[in-house]
Amino acid sequence: MRSTAPRSTLRKIIKKHKPQLRLAANADLLVHLNFLLFLHRLAEEARTNAFENKSKIIKPEHTISAAKVILKKSRG
Amino acid sequence: MADRRSRSRLRRSGHHNARAAAAQTELSVENRRKSLRSTLAKQRLAVFPDLRNGTPRLMLKRVVQNQPQVSPLAPQISSHEDTQEVHSEVPSKRVSSMGELQLPDVAPEGKSITVFHTTKKRRKLSISEFERAAERRLPQNQAPSTLDSTITARSFRMSVGSLLAPDTVEKRGLLRRPKTRKAVDLQVFEGKVEQNMLNSKGQNYLVDSQSISGIRTSILTSDAEMMMNTTELFVQPQLDEQNQNKFSALEPQQSDSKTTAQRSLISDGDQEEERLEGLVSDVRTNEGRTQRDSKSSSLHDEHVDRMTHISPETRAKQQEEKQDQSPQSNPMAQISFSEEEVAGTPEHGPSAGYSEHLEKKLAEKAELQITTAQDSRGETEMASSAAEELAEGSVGAHGSPGAEHKITNGIGAEGLDRNSHAFSSFDKRGMILLDETDEQGDELQDQAIMLDLNSSVEEPAQDEAEQPASGEASMKTPLFVRAPAKNLLLSMPHVEKVAAPRSPQQLLQPKTVPKRLGPPQRKPREPQIPGSLIKEIFRHFAKMPVTKEAFKIVEKCSERYFKQLSSDLEAYTHHAGRKTVEAADLEVLMRRQGLVTDKMPLNVLIERYLPLEYRKLLIPIACD
């Protein structure tokens, strides 16, 4: 895996969505962690969908259905 | 025998725990004492208890088999069952053979022995044997059958469920996939476009062409039709064929702009694109023309990149068009292409399109159109630079077989649009180029030659006949518009008049255009997580190959995720009465997402997923 997280990019993204919001010093690392976990869950769900479909590759349909579920879960 | 049996059992059952072995020994001892039948019965009991309870492995196996399994290993289970059946059948044969020779009490022993012989398959065999025995014993066949049925049903259900799930998945996927646009019926579309054009006759061609150019493939013929329609006001619709009409419509419009000059300028690679643009520019009103002229003259150098970019597309389209349609329609298609192109990239200017037109339309254009265009060219505002451009284009084009066409077109265009001197100079160049080209090049040396070319045009004689008649009107018809431009020719004078007042505008526009291009070219880059990083992370977590489309979905998903995340964080921070997102807010978020639980504290997650440097930052480590 990459050794560095895109800290400045994360900050810019959050700033783009919520300009008035500030980020603490190491909060963006936790954001990165959250993002990793989100991708992890998404990948697991997509992998499960692909298995159920007896496919050896992850196809867009698997991803879409996985995304629906995981995005809903990640709403908080 | 019983001893042997028991000993073999004990030996074989080395895996079993002591209790089971002890039980077996006790049973075996009892069996020895009793009669054969009782021993048989006891053996059966011994066997079955062994199978049923004695062997923890068997017990576990039964439990596992009876459990509903939801895992990707489902297919394996069914195969496992199959193997069981197979294995069980083999020893059964052996048992039967042995049973014949031996006493009945030996039969189960033989069974058990056979069972134990194949250590690997023993468990499977025993289970199936158990099932069979259960079948025999139990008055109702439901138990084993249900057992089998449950197992098979479960596997079947799983397979069915898996089938269903993908269906729903696919369904959902289908629903969510962007609908593929239906192929627009050209005829219908063209008809509608015609109506539009008729409605807005004499008005901004530019608007129409722009609106049409938005649609790619279907516009090909519609553009020509449009042009034809625009000319209907001024030209009698004599041509029945759409192509002819389109060509005629294209010609006058094309001749209006400087595209002809620019056409020749463009190199072979850009010819198609340029021609398209030239055609489009022709189609447009004078405003568009002026824009194009200005753009082409001033910007053609700058936008070569775009043109080349577009040229492959247009070329591809044109090629497709060529193959599909008749030669006559090719120019139309090209014209429409050029229209589209021009609409898409106004900066490219008609020069590219013109050269393209020159190439393709040469064979098809009527001579009269060319001549008339030549005559009327003088009125246009083509600057001398345009003539130079034409010459350059022609020079560049000479290498190609179609150069001659271009040259003729360019020559004709120049003559039509430019001053005589420019035309003559271009003519000379064209002639030089022609010499180098095929035999057709000879024809291009004179204007008359161009007429001859017209005769060699594939177009029907009607067009040519009509073209001479409307030669005056087609003053401005650019040479590249080789289509029979009867209508175009007639409409030429009108277009020319309109073009005249636009010249001052043209002069102004070139100045503004370059300024506009500067800032738009370097778009403000939106902050985005790099796709490569997302791909790497996702692939690492998925451990499976991921298709590119699926990955695109992941990207979109992550964008939406960030949006959700930022709004959630804002809510939490605001709830805490702060304006800065702190680590505590992040933890609250993760807790609500279910990532952080009482069993899984945040620090564990940090340690698991983040690299060391970040871990140190987040988790204060006490250092001495």
Coordinates of all heavy atoms in Angstrom, one line a residue, chain B residues 7 9 36 212-213 281 286 326 387 398 403 408 469 484 530 619:
Chain B
R7 N -10.7 -54.8 17.6 CA -9.3 -54.3 17.6 C -9.1 -53.4 16.3 O -8.5 -52.4 16.3 CB -8.3 -55.5 17.5 CG -7.6 -55.7 18.8 CD -6.6 -56.8 18.8 NE -7.2 -58.0 19.4 CZ -7.2 -59.2 18.8 NH1 -6.6 -59.4 17.6 NH2 -7.7 -60.3 19.4
R9 N -11.4 -51.9 14.8 CA -12.1 -50.7 15.1 C -11.3 -49.7 15.9 O -11.2 -48.6 15.7 CB -13.4 -51.0 15.8 CG -14.6 -50.5 15.0 CD -15.9 -50.8 15.7 NE -16.4 -52.2 15.4 CZ -16.7 -53.1 16.3 NH1 -16.6 -52.8 17.6 NH2 -17.2 -54.3 15.9
L36 N -24.9 -65.0 17.7 CA -24.5 -64.3 16.4 C -25.5 -63.2 16.2 O -25.1 -62.1 15.8 CB -24.6 -65.3 15.3 CG -23.5 -66.4 15.3 CD1 -23.6 -67.3 14.2 CD2 -22.1 -65.7 15.2
I212 N -27.7 21.5 -33.9 CA -27.6 20.2 -34.6 C -26.2 19.6 -34.3 O -26.1 18.4 -34.2 CB -27.8 20.3 -36.1 CG1 -29.3 20.7 -36.3 CG2 -27.4 19.1 -36.8 CD1 -29.6 21.1 -37.8
S213 N -25.3 20.4 -34.3 CA -23.9 19.8 -34.2 C -23.8 19.1 -32.9 O -22.9 18.3 -32.7 CB -22.9 20.9 -34.3 OG -23.1 21.8 -33.3
S281 N -18.9 25.8 -41.2 CA -18.8 27.2 -41.3 C -19.7 27.7 -42.5 O -20.3 28.8 -42.4 CB -17.4 27.7 -41.5 OG -16.9 27.1 -42.7
N286 N -23.6 34.4 -41.5 CA -22.4 35.2 -41.7 C -21.7 35.4 -40.4 O -20.5 35.5 -40.3 CB -22.8 36.6 -42.3 CG -23.3 36.3 -43.7 OD1 -22.9 35.4 -44.4 ND2 -24.3 37.2 -44.1
S326 N -23.5 6.5 -50.3 CA -22.9 6.6 -51.6 C -21.9 7.7 -51.7 O -21.8 8.5 -50.7 CB -24.1 6.9 -52.6 OG -24.6 8.1 -52.2
A387 N -5.2 33.4 -48.5 CA -4.6 32.8 -49.7 C -3.3 32.1 -49.4 O -3.1 31.0 -49.9 CB -4.4 33.9 -50.7
H398 N -0.1 18.2 -51.2 CA 0.3 17.7 -52.4 C 0.8 16.3 -52.3 O 0.8 15.5 -53.2 CB 1.4 18.6 -53.1 CG 2.8 18.2 -52.7 ND1 3.4 18.8 -51.6 CD2 3.7 17.3 -53.1 CE1 4.6 18.3 -51.4 NE2 4.8 17.4 -52.3
A403 N -4.6 15.3 -53.0 CA -4.1 16.7 -52.9 C -4.7 17.5 -54.1 O -5.1 18.7 -54.0 CB -2.6 16.8 -53.0
T408 N -7.6 21.9 -56.3 CA -8.6 22.5 -57.1 C -9.6 23.2 -56.3 O -10.0 24.3 -56.6 CB -9.3 21.4 -57.9 OG1 -9.7 20.4 -57.0 CG2 -8.3 20.8 -58.9
A469 N -26.2 26.7 -64.5 CA -27.3 27.7 -64.6 C -27.3 28.6 -63.4 O -27.5 29.8 -63.5 CB -28.7 26.9 -64.6
P484 N -23.6 18.8 -55.8 CA -24.3 19.6 -56.7 C -25.1 20.6 -56.0 O -25.9 20.4 -55.2 CB -25.3 18.6 -57.3 CG -25.3 17.4 -56.4 CD -24.0 17.4 -55.8
P530 N -6.5 10.9 -5.8 CA -6.0 10.3 -7.0 C -6.6 8.9 -7.3 O -6.7 8.1 -6.4 CB -4.5 10.2 -6.7 CG -4.3 10.5 -5.3 CD -5.5 11.2 -4.8
I619 N -1.4 8.2 18.1 CA -1.4 7.6 19.4 C -0.1 8.1 20.1 O 1.0 7.7 19.7 CB -1.4 6.1 19.3 CG1 -2.6 5.6 18.4 CG2 -1.4 5.4 20.6 CD1 -2.6 4.2 18.1

